[in-house]
Amino acid sequence: MKLVHTLSDLRDHLSAYRHPAVVPTMGNLHAGHLALVRQAKPLGDITVSTIFVNRLQFAPHEDFDTYPRTLDADCQQLEAAGCDLVFAPKEAEMYPQPQTFKVHPPTELADILEGHFRPGFFIGVCTVVLKLLSCTQARTALFGKKDYQQLMVIRNMVKQFAMPVNIVGGETQRSEDGLALSSRNGYLSAAERQQAVQLSATLKTVAEALRTNTVLDAAGISRLESQAMQSLSNLGWRPDYVAVRRQADLQPAQAGDAMVVLAAARLGATRLIDNLEV
Ligand code: PAF
């Protein structure tokens, strides 16, 4: 496996390939990222992973400075998973001058849910993903379904810009108790880690209620959302949202739609997100 830090080395290395399959990451990798790398393997003629903690998608009060940078361990894991090339640029390589050209995704998709609680987040994500896909000449790119809204925003961006990239979603990887794997799980104390399963358990309860009660109207769905928020609060979480949405466009769901339940909540100082398709 080759590790490169500059665009010029990246381009030199990629010149022999026609179909890079790319897994963009911010590093601090876990089994979810590695599953994406393994999924990428048969989809291209070279498997590339990018590691870049993207300042543009962090608000000033968020964890950009403390986000774990674990390049050596990440590279060992990537090599074992079959990655061929890692692009790990320094900030000055990605943003040699202030990034004043930015991608502004549409309000109805990007200012709801995560975008509502993290204003500007998807501008940062879209801008860096557009740039990373362009730098790596990706023909296939893989993103985890745990970041459900992110995957949808990126799919739509690539479609509207007619980029020649096939976007592939990877299933959420979970610990045995059901907690979705996330780089931010490392912030949880031992006691919080025990408790963290309550988020996926709450989603399961809502999903189960939707499956068994297929005639729910908007008020019934809204009641389920409020009950789930309340039950998380009672357990000591600070939920941002529990929302039942249409899988197709993340707008409020109605009976008969293919649905997804999405949640974001804080446990202590750690904000976790998760979702379940119904
Ligand atoms: O999901 C992530 O790790 C990041 O948002 C991404 C897609 C690598 C962009 O920085």
Side-chain angles (χ1 to χ4, degrees):
M1 187 184 78
K2 179 100 183 142
L3 169 64
V4 296
H5 298 284
T6 66
L7 275 173
S8 129
D9 285 349
L10 177 69
R11 285 181 184 135
D12 278 354
H13 201 81
L14 285 173
S15 61
Y17 300 92
R18 292 172 51 88
H19 196 131
V22 179
V23 180
T25 80
M26 296 206 300
N28 192 26
L29 303 183
H30 52 66
H33 296 110
L34 304 175
L36 289 177
V37 170
R38 283 189 286 268
Q39 193 178 344
K41 213 57 203 150
L43 303 180
D45 55 2
I46 178 169
T47 306
V48 183
S49 181
T50 67
I51 298 181
F52 180 64
V53 184
N54 172 38
R55 184 187 292 274
L56 291 188
Q57 69 192 73
F58 289 79
H61 65 277
E62 292 183 336
D63 54 344
F64 175 77
D65 289 329
T66 53
Y67 200 87
R69 272 93 169 156
T70 52
L71 184 62
D72 290 346
D74 290 345
C75 286
Q76 282 176 20
Q77 298 191 76
L78 285 170
E79 185 156 28
C83 183
D84 302 306
L85 174 65
V86 178
F87 176 49
K90 294 259 182 310
E91 215 175 0
E93 187 72 9
M94 278 302 278
Y95 300 130
Q97 56 195 67
Q99 183 72 32
T100 48
F101 284 85
K102 291 184 182 160
V103 180
H104 286 254
T107 313
E108 65 276 13
L109 192 56
D111 290 355
I112 57 172
L113 304 168
E114 280 305 281
H116 176 77
F117 288 93
R118 303 182 68 189
F121 171 67
F122 286 115
I123 296 175
V125 167
C126 285
T127 303
V128 81
V129 168
L130 182 79
K131 201 158 176 173
L132 287 169
L133 297 184
S134 152
C135 294
T136 57
Q137 297 156 37
R139 288 294 167 268
T140 297
L142 297 92
F143 299 86
K145 277 197 194 178
K146 193 195 73 99
D147 298 294
Y148 203 88
Q149 188 178 6
Q150 169 174 280
L151 174 61
M152 180 162 295
V153 169
I154 291 169
R155 254 191 222 294
N156 280 278
M157 172 181 80
V158 161
K159 189 170 169 205
Q160 277 207 4
F161 282 123
M163 297 167 70
V165 188
N166 180 29
I167 300 295
V168 176
E171 291 306 322
T172 301
Q173 305 294 310
R174 297 182 180 278
S175 302
E176 262 178 34
D177 66 356
L179 175 67
L181 298 191
S182 160
S183 301
R184 289 188 168 102
N185 292 350
Y187 296 155
L188 298 168
S189 68
E192 288 166 347
R193 172 62 192 84
Q194 296 266 303
Q195 217 192 317
V197 60
Q198 291 163 348
L199 188 61
S200 60
T202 304
L203 290 174
K204 264 195 207 154
T205 306
V206 177
E208 206 39 51
L210 290 165
R211 269 187 213 114
T212 50
N213 198 344
T214 48
V215 292
L216 274 180
D217 59 5
I221 289 177
S222 159
R223 223 172 11 254
L224 276 182
E225 294 169 338
S226 309
Q227 283 164 357
M229 299 262 291
Q230 190 56 55
S231 102
L232 282 171
S233 300
N234 294 345
L235 292 164
W237 293 70
R238 281 173 295 132
D240 282 344
Y241 59 84
V242 176
V244 178
R245 296 297 169 104
R246 281 203 296 249
Q247 285 181 20
D249 56 8
L250 296 185
Q251 294 307 305
Q254 293 177 351
D257 290 336
M259 297 181 196
V260 55
V261 195
L262 308 106
R266 270 173 221 281
L267 187 57
T270 308
R271 185 174 184 278
L272 298 179
I273 65 172
D274 197 356
N275 65 79
L276 268 189
E277 288 178 326
V278 181

